[in-house]
Amino acid sequence: MNTSATTTDETRIPAFAAERGRRNVSRIVWMPLLLLALLLAGCSANGIAQGMSEDGRLRITATTGMVADAAREIGGEHVEVTTLMGPGVDPHLFKASQGDIRKLDRAAIIFYGGLHLEGNMTRILEKMAAQKPVVAVTEQMPRDRLIGTGEGESGEYDPHVWFDVQLWTSAAKTVQETLMREDPANAERYREQGERYLNELEELHRYVQNRMDEIPQEGRVLVTAHDAFGYFGRAYGVEVVGLQGISTAAEFGARDVSTLRDYLVERGIRAVFVESSLPARSMQAIVAGAAQRGHEVAIGGELFSDAMGEPGTDEGTYIGMVKHNADTIAEALR
Ligand SMILES: [Zn+2]
């Protein structure tokens, strides 16, 4: 294909062969067009060319907003990032639609959370992995830093790693290394932007620490609808109680509600929190139950757990989301 395209080019403009100086100029003019033709012709054969946006950026598809945010921060102007799960979407229950599969198909690289966070996407991600890099951002996290879900030797871990900001730096590094490897022409830029982002995450970690330190030790209890905050609790010294299990796919029953209600009454806990990606009714049931037992519990606010806020808002970024949570928890419990 290369040879024939070049031959066509030469034969169509024979006048340039006669005059060396003019021919050199013509090369400068024709080379980009020739490259474009080769690029278009090579689309189906070349993975990267297929995964490029119209303006020449690397197409990246990410499952959750948190993963997409890391790709956007580190990839900057060289990447076009598409997120499958928008605000309020629960990743544990998410199923890829035909439109989502197209977004995965178009990508040069796919990033996902892993550790069974996207439990219903395992097969489609495996299928995509035969065609292109499909990278779990948690793949390099030291296993001894992960929280086991206590189901014997099944090797399962709590996937909500993004709430331990220091641990999440490992995800950012994995994104950075993948971009540098898959797009070496822009590696230096990914190195720079990755370094900047990692510094911002270090700063964020200290911010959350400082906000949690405002809460008296005995009041550091975070009650939410599902167990999304285990890493948060461990990293920042907060006891975490969830109504549901690690995945929202497990239903909670009346007994869970009464157990949690009694716990709130006994501990004298004043506030519980709702989550943006889950219906608020379970926590409302707990508040009503506690009131019946003469204990007043407030809804302390809405936390972002498995999905970020609206794009274009502070909470629509990973850093903004974590800050929002830390601020909401500190204001309600201190
Ligand atoms: Zn979750």
Side-chain angles (χ1 to χ4, degrees):
M1 183 191 62
N2 284 17
T3 331
S4 70
T6 311
T7 313
T8 313
D9 189 39
E10 295 290 334
T11 48
R12 270 166 62 186
I13 41 170
F16 291 128
E19 199 183 320
R20 211 178 164 79
R22 271 185 69 198
R23 191 179 174 199
N24 283 342
V25 173
S26 83
R27 265 205 184 138
I28 295 165
V29 177
W30 280 91
M31 276 310 274
L33 290 174
L34 187 63
L35 282 174
L36 183 69
L38 288 173
L39 195 69
L40 289 172
C43 269
S44 54
N46 182 326
I48 289 292
Q50 189 181 28
M52 301 296 275
S53 69
E54 277 153 33
D55 56 357
R57 289 180 296 159
L58 200 62
R59 269 202 184 115
I60 294 181
T61 298
T63 55
T64 69
M66 295 71 85
V67 173
D69 196 53
R72 208 170 276 128
E73 288 284 345
I74 298 165
E77 70 278 18
H78 296 303
V79 299
E80 181 190 81
V81 182
T82 303
T83 314
L84 294 187
M85 304 176 197
V89 173
D90 181 343
H92 305 287
L93 305 178
F94 183 85
K95 285 196 176 93
S97 67
Q98 280 307 310
D100 296 322
I101 292 170
R102 271 196 294 280
K103 288 173 190 167
L104 295 167
D105 256 330
R106 282 153 43 102
I109 305 170
I110 295 169
F111 287 114
Y112 69 108
L115 305 175
H116 300 286
L117 174 69
E118 303 93 342
N120 290 322
M121 289 188 68
T122 311
R123 273 176 62 194
I124 180 75
L125 291 173
E126 275 171 7
K127 211 177 126 199
M128 292 290 159
Q131 303 157 22
K132 62 188 77 181
V134 176
V135 180
V137 298
T138 49
E139 72 180 20
Q140 295 190 71
M141 280 180 194
R143 279 351 193 205
D144 62 357
R145 296 275 298 134
L146 299 180
I147 298 175
T149 51
E151 279 159 30
E153 287 162 23
S154 62
E156 294 209 357
Y157 297 104
D158 178 348
H160 304 90
V161 288
W162 53 93
F163 285 130
D164 176 340
V165 178
Q166 265 183 338
L167 192 55
W168 190 244
T169 59
S170 164
K173 281 180 196 153
T174 297
V175 169
Q176 182 193 33
E177 285 167 16
T178 306
L179 290 175
M180 290 173 77
R181 186 178 62 236
E182 297 299 325
D183 183 17
N186 296 310
E188 184 53 24
R189 189 76 178 128
Y190 300 139
R191 201 190 53 73
E192 273 170 28
Q193 301 199 116
E195 210 161 281
R196 174 194 51 79
Y197 191 52
L198 289 170
N199 286 335
E200 287 177 21
L201 294 185
E202 279 301 324
E203 211 172 287
L204 177 66
H205 175 68
R206 284 193 295 274
Y207 179 86
V208 179
Q209 260 175 340
N210 290 337
R211 292 254 48 189
M212 291 307 108
D213 285 347
E214 292 174 25
I215 307 168
Q217 197 61 48
E218 67 277 10
R220 290 199 199 178
V221 182
L222 179 62
V223 181
T224 60
H226 90 298
D227 287 341
F229 295 94
Y231 290 96
F232 182 87
R234 186 184 67 180
Y236 304 107
V238 178
E239 186 188 333
V240 175
V241 183
L243 176 61
Q244 257 168 310
I246 297 293
S247 166
T248 55
E251 281 290 317
F252 65 94
R255 228 179 65 200
D256 301 315
V257 172
S258 61
T259 306
L260 185 52
R261 177 204 61 200
D262 293 347
Y263 183 81
L264 295 184
V265 174
E266 278 149 31
R267 287 286 308 259
I269 294 164
R270 308 268 293 276
V272 297
F273 300 87
V274 294
E275 294 172 40
S276 63
S277 54
L278 289 175
R281 62 172 189 277
S282 56
M283 294 324 279
Q284 283 157 356
I286 305 259
V287 169
Q292 275 173 5
R293 285 197 53 185
H295 179 66
E296 200 183 315
V297 176
I299 298 279
E302 185 185 66
L303 303 180
F304 295 97
S305 54
D306 290 1
M308 305 195 307
E310 293 292 335
T313 66
D314 280 348
E315 293 79 15
T317 68
Y318 169 73
I319 289 177
M321 160 207 209
V322 172
K323 273 191 173 163
H324 165 94
N325 284 354
D327 292 341
T328 304
I329 295 165
E331 301 297 332
L333 295 180
R334 69 182 175 174

